[in-house]
Amino acid sequence: AACSRKNRNAALHPLWQSPLTIPGGTRQSPINIQWRDSVYDPFLKPLKISYDPTTCLHIWNNGYSFLVEFDDSTDRSIIVGGPLENQYRLKQFHFHWGAINDWGSEHTVDSKFYPAELHLVHWNAVEYPTFEEAVMEGNGLAVIGVFLKLGARHEGLQTLVDALPAVKHKDTVIEFDVFDPSCLLPSCPDYWTYAGSLTTPPLTESVTWIIKKKPIEVDEDQLEAFRMLLFTSDGEEEKRMVDNFRPLQPLMDRTVRSSFQ
Ligand SMILES: NS(=O)(=O)N=C1NCCCN1
Ligand SMILES: [Zn+2]
């Protein structure tokens, strides 16, 4: 239904029943990254990633996406460096994708959508005791975003794709006990970074985004495997899990920095 201007803030995103705009929000995500407006920052360090594949726990369909969750009770899977002042612990990764290949990513680059986007979610366990507390703090989270483009089959992703039929319905889970998510990262070290928010509830403005410049390639069958998941629980009328991305948010008073010239 069309939203008139006056109650635009009351508009809810059909998928998450969450506000399209956070009242007073000044650093919401996702955003369009205008390449020529990003500013090279020579002081940005290389991002250092060290994941222990045995910290992988399970895959579950939470009704928005499918999440691969990790044991974040120790510092065995962490990232450090880049724009970050502390080290951050890996908690989970998940994806956003479209019904067709023309869209699906949350961030865009020069207004171009990719068919899907991977988010690796980390929290600042140096300064905060739990993920739930870190979610409420401006420097609480760091999310690495990786674009997926249509191309060659991705062998590392395939082990994940093979497990998806077991989590077809909302609130289903399958054990997944060894996986190294660094196989899902492009080899190129280049990234953009900016201060933003979670793109699904609680939408808090607690995320240092690190968006990789280069996409990874996946093939059509692998994208189709994402699209056969369901938003709905077993026994309900089936709704395919597609278009689970939040609309673009205003940049406001922010600069996107690049680690490359
Ligand atoms: N798409 S996102 O920004 O990663 N949003 C998240 N919300 C809940 C906690 C994990 N991540
Ligand atoms: Zn996400």
Side-chain angles (χ1 to χ4, degrees):
C3 303
S4 64
R5 289 237 21 106
K6 67 179 186 307
N7 70 2
R8 177 171 160 68
N9 280 348
L12 294 179
H13 188 276
L15 193 57
W16 290 294
Q17 295 313 307
S18 63
L20 273 179
T21 55
I22 295 284
T26 58
R27 53 174 280 194
Q28 288 291 296
S29 295
I31 60 169
N32 174 54
I33 297 168
Q34 201 65 34
W35 195 312
R36 66 178 175 281
D37 294 343
S38 61
V39 178
Y40 169 58
D41 180 349
F43 297 103
L44 281 172
K45 302 187 188 73
L47 188 62
K48 285 170 62 187
I49 294 165
S50 47
Y51 295 147
D52 172 348
T54 66
T55 56
C56 191
L57 294 172
H58 51 253
I59 308 174
W60 75 294
N61 176 332
N62 71 349
Y64 303 151
S65 181
F66 66 93
L67 313 184
V68 181
E69 295 207 292
F70 289 77
D71 169 6
D72 60 352
S73 60
T74 72
D75 282 332
R76 282 183 294 162
S77 289
I78 54 143
I79 59 172
V80 68
L84 305 172
E85 288 176 10
N86 297 115
Q87 72 175 20
Y88 287 66
R89 262 185 215 168
L90 177 66
K91 178 171 181 54
Q92 53 106 321
F93 69 81
H94 62 273
F95 297 81
H96 303 261
W97 60 91
I100 61 173
N101 297 337
D102 296 345
W103 60 73
S105 60
E106 294 216 298
H107 292 86
T108 53
V109 179
D110 295 345
S111 299
K112 168 199 164 68
F113 283 93
Y114 284 88
E117 182 172 332
L118 160 63
H119 289 161
L120 294 135
V121 181
H122 310 76
W123 59 284
N124 181 344
V126 171
E127 296 191 2
Y128 308 112
T130 65
F131 171 79
E132 287 70 23
E133 291 194 49
V135 159
M136 307 310 289
E137 303 293 334
N139 68 339
L141 304 180
V143 182
I144 298 176
V146 181
F147 295 118
L148 277 61
K149 72 176 262 198
L150 189 61
R153 176 180 151 113
H154 194 294
E155 290 309 329
L157 183 70
Q158 193 55 36
T159 55
L160 198 48
V161 165
D162 290 339
L164 293 185
V167 289
K168 184 179 173 80
H169 293 98
K170 179 180 177 188
D171 295 330
T172 50
V173 62
I174 181 176
E175 190 182 328
F176 198 62
D177 46 10
V178 181
F179 185 78
D180 179 0
S182 40
C183 80
L184 299 174
L185 295 169
S187 52
C188 176
D190 297 348
Y191 61 86
W192 289 284
T193 183
Y194 78 96
S197 74
L198 293 172
T199 67
T200 70
L203 301 170
T204 45
E205 298 185 332
S206 55
V207 181
T208 299
W209 280 96
I210 299 167
I211 307 287
K212 301 295 284 185
K213 182 183 80 174
K214 291 279 189 180
I216 58 170
E217 289 191 21
V218 300
D219 72 12
E220 182 62 35
D221 290 344
Q222 294 178 314
L223 286 170
E224 277 304 318
F226 287 13
R227 299 176 182 134
M228 62 106 220
L229 293 168
L230 301 178
F231 285 130
T232 43
S233 304
D234 199 354
E236 289 179 344
E237 183 199 356
E238 296 202 347
K239 287 199 184 79
R240 286 191 320 143
M241 184 181 275
V242 293
D243 298 335
N244 55 357
F245 57 91
R246 191 190 192 195
L248 290 171
Q249 302 294 310
L251 183 62
M252 296 194 156
D253 181 25
R254 290 181 283 184
T255 300
V256 177
R257 290 181 290 162
S258 65
S259 70
F260 57 94
Q261 281 186 302

